[in-house]
Amino acid sequence: MSEPFYITTAINYPNGRPHIGHAYEGIATDVVARFHRARGRDVRLITGTDEHGLKMDQTARKAGRDTIDLATEMSGYFREMCAVLNIGYSEFVRTTESRHHAASTELWKRMEAAGDLYLDRYEGWYSIRDEAFYDEGELTACEDGAKLSPQGTPVEWTVEETWFFRLSKYQDRLLAHYEQHPDFIRPESRRNEVLRFVEGGLKDLSVSRTSFDWGVPVPDSAGHVMYVWVDALTTYMTGVGFPDDQGEMFQRYWPADIHMIGKDIVRFHAVYWPAFLMSAGLALPKQIYAHGFLLARGGEKMSKSAGNVVDPMELAERFGVDPLRYFFMREIAFGQDGSYSAEAIVQRANGELGNAFGNLAQRTLGFIAKNLDGNLPAIHAHEAADIELLDAVAKAVRTDMPAAFETLALQQGVEAWLQACFACNAYIDTQAPWALRKTDPERMETVLATLYICIAQLAVAIEPVIPASSARLLDTMGIAPELRSYEAIGSHWYSPLAESGFRIESPQPLFPRLEMPEDAAC
């Protein structure tokens, strides 16, 4: 049985429709999942919606709706986003599902059995927008007397009876875990941020609310619902069968290999979540990776309050799904903040996908269809230039891209692939098969066969990023599904395919040229 790999997105808060930041995280997570699947691993990708909490309840009340109705509608938009953007999740978990309530209740009971929960009175600052508690020293005072969280969100002074989790008890254990597992939090900047926070001292954490009832009820504690982050984080285990921690699925996939999250929720995942799991006697995730923000024009973080939220479905319709996926993986150094514009998307799509790869495939396959009646060219004798190209592409496909993607250096992986595309274009221009057609037909066939092999390898390698376009090209080229993996695609399959009588039909353009929209503000 193949080696398991379990990856999750953050569990999206659906008090509004998804914006392009949600799409960016989903695409990146899907790219990593597809990469590991192409490496032969048994991949499970979980996403979903975090539907509890005061913010969700208030949004529904303002709209005059039942909270569950709003949650169901908004959750549907996140499912739609995944479908449109080809984000191939294994399962979509809603925190309002009964199975998830069972998982959250079991986690609570285990923390209680460990002696880590106690009832007391909470007085302090709470951000409804972040669903987070903050200490006085973390706040910024405004001229009007209001206070803002580190995320720039308003906070309110809150007083209520609450259950507390003994977070302070786990300070030393957390620091020890960070030291023993240096890759537990990535990138390094986020790790350093968490270390400073924990080294500064941990206070016990309020983990229930009584001021509203929209949440998972606390067992045997009337009027209390779980703090939304206790409930939300448990989703990662709901997606693999918890509370049945002895079940086949949980035993196979837990602990998660990667929790992919935004950098603004690192504390919840890298401090609270591992402490909850330690308390419950459960294994910790192997890695928490906090990517940067996708910034709007002017370098501003996107938010509904700022009025700069962009609908990812509109961008996908305008530019195409695969060009959009490619742009985000190519343009932004994963882990850092990045921005985008219509001009940049069009330039990447036309210059790299269209010209460097799409046109390479189009003219090579079209030449075969026209001049060889679609029959695959024979390999007569490789020259040094052929071997050099085959080696360069093999290195990109089998060494450079996998090494980069393994460490989530997604931009660097795509760059390695693009350089191999450039090498193929330089080769075809130098070898000029159109001239060889009259002067040396056998050499022409070898050149075309070499290009055919390289294009197939490049199509397989980039499949995690542009899955639909890659599949369409590989279908055209007759590459069997079982060969569409990093290890299987080489040159050994070429002769049997040529001898089978497979014929190339004149291909359709993979990436029609994009034009700048009249309204280029995105």
Side-chain angles (χ1 to χ4, degrees), residues 159-227:
V159 179
E160 61 183 305
E161 180 186 68
T162 179
W163 284 93
F164 279 83
F165 172 74
R166 298 186 193 278
L167 184 64
S168 57
K169 170 181 170 181
Y170 290 91
Q171 178 173 336
D172 291 342
R173 286 185 61 182
L174 287 168
L175 291 172
H177 187 80
Y178 303 153
E179 182 177 0
Q180 293 164 11
H181 302 85
D183 288 336
F184 178 66
I185 307 165
R186 293 188 59 220
E188 187 70 16
S189 58
R190 303 282 82 82
R191 182 176 186 272
N192 292 337
E193 172 190 316
V194 170
L195 280 173
R196 287 193 301 269
F197 176 73
V198 177
E199 288 170 347
L202 294 179
K203 296 181 179 180
D204 291 351
L205 178 68
S206 171
V207 290
S208 75
R209 305 299 305 275
T210 57
S211 54
F212 61 96
D213 61 2
W214 180 244
V216 179
V218 171
D220 304 317
S221 190
H224 287 259
V225 294
M226 293 182 195
Y227 174 40

Side-chain angles (χ1 to χ4, degrees), residues 221-244:
S221 190
H224 287 259
V225 294
M226 293 182 195
Y227 174 40
V228 64
W229 277 103
V230 176
D231 154 27
L233 293 163
T234 309
T235 309
Y236 301 133
M237 295 195 299
T238 305
V240 288
F242 193 75
D244 183 9

